[in-house]
Amino acid sequence: MALLPILEFPDPRLRTKAAPVDAAEVTTPVFQQLLDDMFQTMYEAPGIGLAASQVDVHKRFMVIDTSEERNTPMVFINPQIVSASEGGRVYQEGCLSVPGIYADVTRADSIVVRFIDRDGKQQELVADDLLATCIQHEMDHLDGKLFIDYLSPLKREMVRKKLAKQRKHVA
């Protein structure tokens, strides 16, 4: 397994809309290895979700594990939200591509998502609370959207400046 580099805002590649994964590709050793590498990268970061777009692979899939024990890895390939609850819930979100920044984002509290799993099988899952938020967050990445896009332009500019300042201190 290998750690993959995570793209960070404002990298323009994060704005790329991901293409669907070919069903025949899912069970190949190369694709399965990429999934393993993404899980390792996500766990090391540490995070609870990672979209392929964040590691510069612009295909529609993501890995998620919201368990405290990190023992419930989930793979969502070509995910589609089939339905979403009317009521929203506010979560303070963070993102591996926007390190050190957290903001309140309102998303559907419960969703039904249809996807292909790691074994190439079509699945449908009812998700709520943190898992629903995480799925929606990672699906945004696949559409070239970041959680900070839900913020006002002024707050988004403050985030950009804060990250630029952090990078200067690291360099």
Side-chain angles (χ1 to χ4, degrees):
M1 290 203 281
L3 288 179
L4 305 169
I6 298 172
L7 300 178
E8 291 186 4
F9 177 78
D11 192 310
R13 293 173 290 179
L14 287 168
R15 299 304 185 173
T16 304
K17 190 167 170 57
V21 175
D22 185 319
E25 185 180 356
V26 173
T27 55
T28 65
V30 170
F31 191 81
Q32 293 293 314
Q33 182 62 55
L34 178 57
L35 292 174
D36 290 341
D37 292 347
M38 285 179 62
F39 274 114
Q40 182 182 4
T41 301
M42 178 188 77
Y43 290 137
E44 286 284 323
I48 61 171
L50 186 65
S53 301
Q54 292 177 272
V55 293
D56 205 19
V57 176
H58 302 285
K59 299 270 185 114
R60 295 192 71 77
F61 68 96
M62 57 203 191
V63 298
I64 291 175
D65 187 345
T66 58
S67 69
E68 290 284 328
E69 303 80 21
R70 297 176 170 252
N71 62 358
T72 313
M74 302 175 80
V75 173
F76 296 84
I77 301 165
N78 296 335
Q80 296 174 301
I81 294 177
V82 190
S83 65
S85 63
E86 290 292 319
R89 175 178 285 213
V90 176
Y91 269 102
Q92 188 170 73
E93 293 187 23
C95 181
L96 299 177
S97 291
V98 190
I101 304 296
Y102 300 89
D104 288 343
V105 177
T106 303
R107 297 189 187 269
D109 187 38
S110 129
I111 60 170
V112 176
V113 61
R114 185 176 298 138
F115 60 98
I116 297 169
D117 68 14
R118 183 174 195 148
D119 299 320
K121 293 183 176 57
Q122 184 85 28
Q123 302 285 344
E124 200 165 279
L125 174 73
V126 177
D128 55 17
D129 300 322
L130 180 59
L131 179 58
T133 297
C134 189
I135 290 169
Q136 292 169 85
H137 175 108
E138 300 308 329
M139 284 183 69
D140 275 354
H141 279 296
L142 301 178
D143 291 326
K145 189 171 184 178
L146 300 172
F147 84 98
I148 58 172
D149 295 340
Y150 292 94
L151 306 178
S152 71
L154 178 64
K155 284 185 180 174
R156 216 171 21 252
E157 182 59 20
M158 288 170 52
V159 166
R160 191 190 63 69
K161 286 180 178 174
K162 183 175 181 180
L163 289 174
K165 189 175 180 181
Q166 286 175 358
R167 284 189 194 101
K168 269 187 194 166
H169 289 316
V170 172

